[in-house]
Amino acid sequence: MHTLTSHVRRALPVLALLSCISAHAAIPANEAQALTNLYNATNGASWTNNTNWLTAGAECTWYGVTCDGGATHVTGLALASNQLAGTLSDLPALTALQALNLSHNQLTGSFPMLSRSGLHPGTIRINDNQLSGPLSADLSSLAFGALYAQNNQLTGPLPTLPFAGMFYLDLQKISSPVRFRH
């Protein structure tokens, strides 16, 4: 009995540590909900590849989703040429997003709202969809290196864009086509 008790005592700290790790190794509920909303709004069941999507607690294994090293935040979405169809939902809950590639799909609606937190996408690729209307005004609060938005039906004036640090901007087929390279 004494041996069993000592083994249990030694195992308790390890079990407590493992439970803390697993408790912290999940993305926040609002990020998981943003991904689920994207899936539902863009006909996720018909995507070319939707591996693991909607498997609760496994968001970092969902096809096209990249998370940080601790699997605590979504840092990338790469769903290009994946048959996403429908209105693109806003993504402000993805506060650690560094790369967004939703190009070459059938996305409609307006340019999505992105996070206004301190972490921002390095590259935004929403080109070759059917997005319409003006570019989102929240772009002026983001710091990003490249924006690919060509071959949509975007119209209207350009918002004030943060050109500092930007190395590529492609907005062909907007009311005033602009190309910027640094």
Side-chain angles (χ1 to χ4, degrees):
M1 179 78 158
H2 176 68
T3 305
L4 179 59
T5 304
S6 64
H7 286 300
V8 169
R9 277 193 200 140
R10 279 187 252 153
L12 282 177
V14 173
L15 291 173
L17 177 63
L18 288 175
S19 69
C20 287
I21 291 170
S22 62
H24 294 293
I27 66 171
N30 62 335
E31 290 186 33
Q33 188 61 54
L35 294 174
T36 299
N37 291 347
L38 174 68
Y39 180 89
N40 290 330
T42 60
N43 199 19
S46 296
W47 291 357
T48 303
N49 190 339
N50 60 10
T51 302
N52 291 336
W53 275 79
L54 303 185
T55 303
E59 292 84 359
C60 295
T61 68
W62 294 0
Y63 174 79
V65 175
T66 304
C67 294
D68 61 11
T72 57
H73 290 284
V74 174
T75 58
L77 272 178
L79 297 169
S81 302
N82 201 36
Q83 299 300 313
L84 280 69
T87 303
L88 185 56
S89 57
D90 290 338
L91 301 169
L94 303 181
T95 58
L97 195 64
Q98 297 171 11
L100 175 65
N101 189 348
L102 302 176
S103 64
H104 300 278
N105 285 295
Q106 294 85 45
L107 297 172
T108 59
S110 59
F111 190 92
M113 292 289 291
L114 300 170
S115 171
R116 292 184 182 185
S117 72
L119 299 169
H120 304 296
T123 303
I124 301 170
R125 292 179 182 269
I126 57 157
N127 53 290
D128 297 286
N129 282 289
Q130 289 99 43
L131 298 175
S132 59
L135 284 171
S136 176
D138 78 331
L139 282 176
S140 62
S141 66
L142 298 177
F144 51 88
L147 171 61
Y148 297 82
Q150 71 273 19
N151 299 321
N152 282 290
Q153 287 81 47
L154 298 169
T155 59
L158 290 173
T160 302
L161 294 174
F163 289 115
M166 184 181 289
F167 60 86
Y168 189 78
L169 173 65
D170 192 337
L171 299 173
Q172 291 176 359
K173 295 189 180 178
I174 195 165
S175 58
S176 300
V178 175
R179 233 171 158 59
F180 173 82
R181 290 182 194 236
H182 176 27

